[in-house]
Amino acid sequence: MTNQRIAVLVVEDEALIRMGIVDELELAGFEVMEAANAAEAIDQLAANPLISVMFTDVDMPGGVDGLKLAAAVRDRWPPIKIIVTSGHRTVNVDALPTETRFLP
């Protein structure tokens, strides 16, 4: 019997912050994929059906921020657990898709 690690997608536009999060999650035993924006995140999710958790920042460049990305992922991949985070602002729980958590 093999232990399959939980696959996590980290979505963060700041490269150094993303690298730190990825390192910590890998040290904790997770299999980690990375994306710098929402478009890359959607590509990663489409290519990697084993991803079961997405950890995304709220503020990202481009037309889709982390909240819009969370809503799109919830609609397209309902089983994926979603954690939204921000170091700059607080998000009202009502602004999050169902079963999404906010981590300040």
Side-chain angles (χ1 to χ4, degrees):
M1 177 179 215
T2 62
N3 285 338
Q4 185 171 355
R5 297 184 306 162
I6 295 172
V8 178
L9 174 61
V10 174
V11 188
E12 168 61 60
D13 61 304
E14 297 285 337
L16 291 176
I17 293 172
R18 186 176 62 247
M19 288 170 39
I21 295 166
V22 168
D23 286 347
E24 289 297 320
L25 289 172
E26 287 177 340
L27 284 172
F30 295 95
E31 179 179 348
V32 184
M33 287 110 208
E34 308 176 43
N37 56 49
E40 287 182 16
I42 297 297
D43 289 346
Q44 284 280 8
L45 290 163
N48 297 293
L50 295 179
I51 294 172
S52 59
V53 179
M54 181 179 73
F55 182 86
T56 183
D57 187 20
V58 172
D59 299 314
M60 291 187 293
V64 180
D65 66 10
L67 296 174
K68 291 178 185 171
L69 173 61
V73 170
R74 176 59 63 235
D75 288 343
R76 187 166 172 187
W77 294 282
I80 292 179
K81 305 297 182 197
I82 302 170
I83 301 167
V84 175
T85 189
S86 178
H88 303 290
R89 63 178 164 144
T90 301
V91 174
N92 187 322
V93 176
D94 296 335
L96 298 171
T98 305
E99 296 185 30
T100 299
R101 302 293 178 255
F102 177 72
L103 181 64

